[in-house]
Amino acid sequence: MISHRQQVTDMIISAKVLKSIKWADVAEAIGLSKEWVTAACLGQMAFNKEQAEKIGEIFGLTDEAIAWLQIVPYKGSLPTSVPTDPLIYRWYEVVSVYGMTIKELIHEEFGDGIMSAIDFSMDIQRENNPNGDRVNVVLSGKFLPYKTY
């Protein structure tokens, strides 16, 4: 019996390792971006029934696990308030160092509001560089202005 979504994530990770599955291949089978599908497999998004069934086939999940994939999850996956994983910590560092700059430049360009993480897309690619390959991350979120009332 499954009692929480993390157990399904653990099943997916275990099958991914055992079967040498790539996230990009899973995304191609689902027909969505590797970024969104990976987030969903890691428990941060909900699949619809058809998608969940396909994920179940790929990872060999039970009907109960497939049902859990369709439940709206509790979002936010960091185990600590300040991340300790080096890669995730560097993102925390980027926001700590450049967060105010990002905020100022968005407000200057768009006005008072936020960038949505709901109406959002992300693209992560390898960028070949003779001085060492680079990680190219593009975040695109709809601008949502604050309303007056």
Side-chain angles (χ1 to χ4, degrees), residues 26-52:
V26 177
E28 185 176 329
I30 300 297
L32 295 170
S33 74
K34 70 182 180 298
E35 294 80 9
W36 190 91
V37 170
T38 302
C41 286
L42 296 177
Q44 296 300 300
M45 304 293 172
F47 288 107
N48 68 28
K49 184 175 180 10
E50 180 184 334
Q51 295 162 342

Side-chain angles (χ1 to χ4, degrees), residues 81-121:
S81 58
V82 175
T84 56
D85 178 276
L87 191 141
I88 297 172
Y89 178 80
R90 291 300 169 237
W91 278 97
Y92 177 80
E93 179 182 35
V94 166
V95 173
S96 293
V97 173
Y98 291 101
M100 292 302 293
T101 301
I102 294 166
K103 177 180 170 47
E104 283 294 316
L105 293 172
I106 288 173
H107 289 321
E108 184 174 273
E109 181 69 26
F110 294 93
D112 188 14
I114 63 170
M115 183 180 93
S116 175
I118 296 169
D119 189 343
F120 177 83
S121 65

Side-chain angles (χ1 to χ4, degrees), residues 10 14-15 21 38 40 55 75 90 93-94 106 110 118 131 133 145-146:
D10 293 343
S14 181
I21 297 171
T38 302
I55 292 294
K75 294 183 187 331
R90 291 300 169 237
E93 179 182 35
V94 166
I106 288 173
F110 294 93
I118 296 169
N131 295 323
D133 287 356
Y146 283 101

Side-chain angles (χ1 to χ4, degrees), residues 136-148:
N136 187 333
V137 180
V138 176
L139 307 175
S140 177
K142 180 180 180 180
F143 180 74
L144 302 172
Y146 283 101
K147 295 182 351 180
T148 55

